[in-house]
Amino acid sequence: MDKKLEGILDILGKLNLSINIVNKEDLDEQYGNLEDFRTLTRDLDILLNNFNSVDKNDGDEVEKMLFEIHRIITTFEWHLSEISDLNTTILKVYKDKIKNA
């Protein structure tokens, strides 16, 4: 998934070259966030691989696992939202900008 997000950022960066509406720093920040996304993906892999070792009769242990799942999901959502915001910014103005260029 991280490679697909990187591909989206590559597309947005190329489109932005002709309209220059998104700051380069904003795009660079999202590229930097990809490493955090990769770490998050590894965290989820570990959690999923360790599920069978969780004592399902230990409410505290299950709750801890579920909170970790929640943290990972909401952080994935944040990463996707950040890239979506860049996409929306370009989407709103791209057609008009290239017509007027």
Side-chain angles (χ1 to χ4, degrees):
M1 181 68 166
D2 60 316
K3 293 293 183 192
K4 292 182 185 337
L5 292 177
E6 187 172 8
I8 291 169
L9 289 174
D10 290 346
I11 288 168
L12 296 176
K14 288 174 186 171
L15 292 173
N16 192 55
L17 286 175
S18 59
I19 61 169
N20 203 23
I21 192 73
V22 175
N23 293 332
K24 183 181 180 323
E25 293 80 22
D26 291 340
L27 281 165
D28 289 346
E29 181 180 351
Q30 293 312 310
Y31 277 106
N33 286 342
L34 285 176
E35 188 53 43
D36 295 337
F37 188 89
R38 289 178 183 108
T39 299
L40 195 64
T41 301
R42 286 190 294 270
D43 291 349
L44 180 58
D45 287 341
I46 291 167
L47 184 72
L48 295 173
N49 289 332
N50 291 334
F51 172 73
N52 289 330
S53 66
V54 172
D55 180 357
K56 282 66 165 184
N57 295 315
D58 183 341
D60 290 336
E61 192 175 352
V62 170
E63 182 180 66
K64 180 180 175 186
M65 177 198 62
L66 292 174
F67 272 124
E68 184 64 6
I69 289 170
H70 177 73
R71 179 191 71 81
I72 291 169
I73 289 170
T74 57
T75 308
F76 276 142
E77 289 173 336
W78 178 84
H79 282 283
L80 293 173
S81 177
E82 290 290 299
I83 294 172
S84 179
D85 288 348
L86 289 176
N87 183 68
T88 302
T89 300
I90 292 172
L91 172 66
K92 287 180 178 178
V93 300
Y94 187 81
K95 193 162 65 170
D96 290 336
K97 286 273 193 174
I98 60 169
K99 279 184 187 176
N100 298 325

